[in-house]
Amino acid sequence: MERIALHTRLKPGKEGEYERVHATIPEDLDAALRTAGVHTWRIWRSGRDLFHLVEVDDYRAMRAALRDHPANVPWQARMAELLEVEDDYSGGDSGVPLVWELP
């Protein structure tokens, strides 16, 4: 299993809306994430900065599975309204590199 850290940033003034939208994840998206190998996905917010920790079987395979998934496409469109940089699922994203870990 992989642990992937991600960083995203909200557009100014979108903090409350982002939290409201994330209060309930659509059931079909939840199922798609789990089918794609996601075990957990946690998000912390500090101001407009979002910090994600994803535990997933294979991060790149998960992104490939979700890229055109009918549950993920509208979710990503909704997130694009709130985030400074839209995630178009292109490229070989591998998250934020780990710099240190308590052994």
Side-chain angles (χ1 to χ4, degrees), residues 11-85:
K11 293 177 181 175
K14 297 296 185 180
E15 299 87 346
E17 186 176 352
Y18 182 86
E19 290 190 13
R20 283 190 299 279
V21 170
H22 274 79
T24 306
I25 301 298
E27 288 183 24
D28 59 343
L29 180 60
D30 182 287
L33 289 165
R34 293 175 192 279
T35 299
V38 176
H39 295 271
T40 62
W41 194 315
R42 295 176 178 95
I43 304 171
W44 291 264
R45 183 176 70 77
S46 178
R48 292 174 38 220
D49 291 300
L50 302 169
F51 303 94
H52 310 244
L53 180 61
V54 184
E55 294 178 323
V56 59
D57 292 331
D58 181 326
Y59 181 67
R60 288 187 182 190
M62 179 267 300
R63 287 180 58 82
L66 293 176
R67 180 179 304 119
D68 299 315
H69 193 286
N72 190 49
V73 171
W75 181 259
Q76 292 306 318
R78 180 67 173 108
M79 291 301 101
E81 298 171 2
L82 305 174
L83 298 173
E84 277 192 348
V85 177

